Amino acid sequence: MDKITTVAAKPCTEEGLCPRFAKIFSILGKKWNGLIIEALLKNGTQRFKELAAMVPACSDRVLVERLRELESENFVERVTHDDSALIEYRLTARGASLQPVMTDIHHWADEWITPEECNE
């Protein structure tokens, strides 16, 4: 996996929502993207069928679209192997750097989301 680097950027000072904050929510807030990233964080490099099994409510067509979007945004990398037809997906350094964010979301959900809400 790529070396994780930190980019020093000035915080947004504009009034209203920060464009960088809005950009990341447009990516992570899209249905299934967070779950795809979480599956790759938890299980490492995965084949398409493995990812599909981890996010079973997502259709194959939509999963392909989401993986392409995450790849174009440099969160996911599609890995092909010269000696076989095997195709795998793994997080880039940018995607892997979301680990602490996802951990914080887990903690928040444990405190604020009831089991009943998960069945709605």
Side-chain angles (χ1 to χ4, degrees):
M1 184 145 321
D2 300 333
K3 179 183 171 193
I4 296 175
T5 57
T6 303
V7 178
K10 292 181 182 178
C12 287
T13 56
E14 301 173 19
E15 289 191 30
L17 291 177
C18 171
R20 287 179 282 193
F21 184 83
K23 172 66 176 174
I24 191 60
F25 265 89
S26 75
I27 297 166
L28 293 181
K30 190 172 269 188
K31 193 168 187 177
W32 309 119
N33 283 355
L35 297 179
I36 293 166
I37 290 169
E38 177 68 8
L40 292 169
L41 282 168
K42 282 186 143 190
N43 300 293
T45 302
Q46 298 282 297
R47 297 179 74 172
F48 182 87
K49 286 187 175 192
E50 295 167 328
L51 280 171
M54 296 195 72
V55 190
C58 181
S59 72
D60 286 355
R61 180 186 62 79
V62 172
L63 181 56
V64 167
E65 287 176 13
R66 295 299 182 263
L67 285 167
R68 285 183 182 153
E69 291 169 359
L70 290 169
E71 185 178 5
S72 73
E73 295 287 352
N74 194 30
F75 286 92
V76 170
E77 178 180 24
R78 184 176 188 261
V79 181
T80 58
H81 300 272
D82 294 333
D83 56 343
S84 74
L86 178 67
I87 297 172
E88 297 175 307
Y89 296 90
R90 67 179 174 207
L91 292 173
T92 62
R94 185 180 197 188
S97 70
L98 287 168
Q99 179 66 62
V101 173
M102 299 302 263
T103 299
D104 285 346
I105 292 171
H106 276 281
H107 292 305
W108 182 90
D110 288 342
E111 184 173 343
W112 292 99
I113 303 296
T114 67
E116 295 78 24
E117 288 176 289
C118 296
N119 297 322
E120 293 177 352

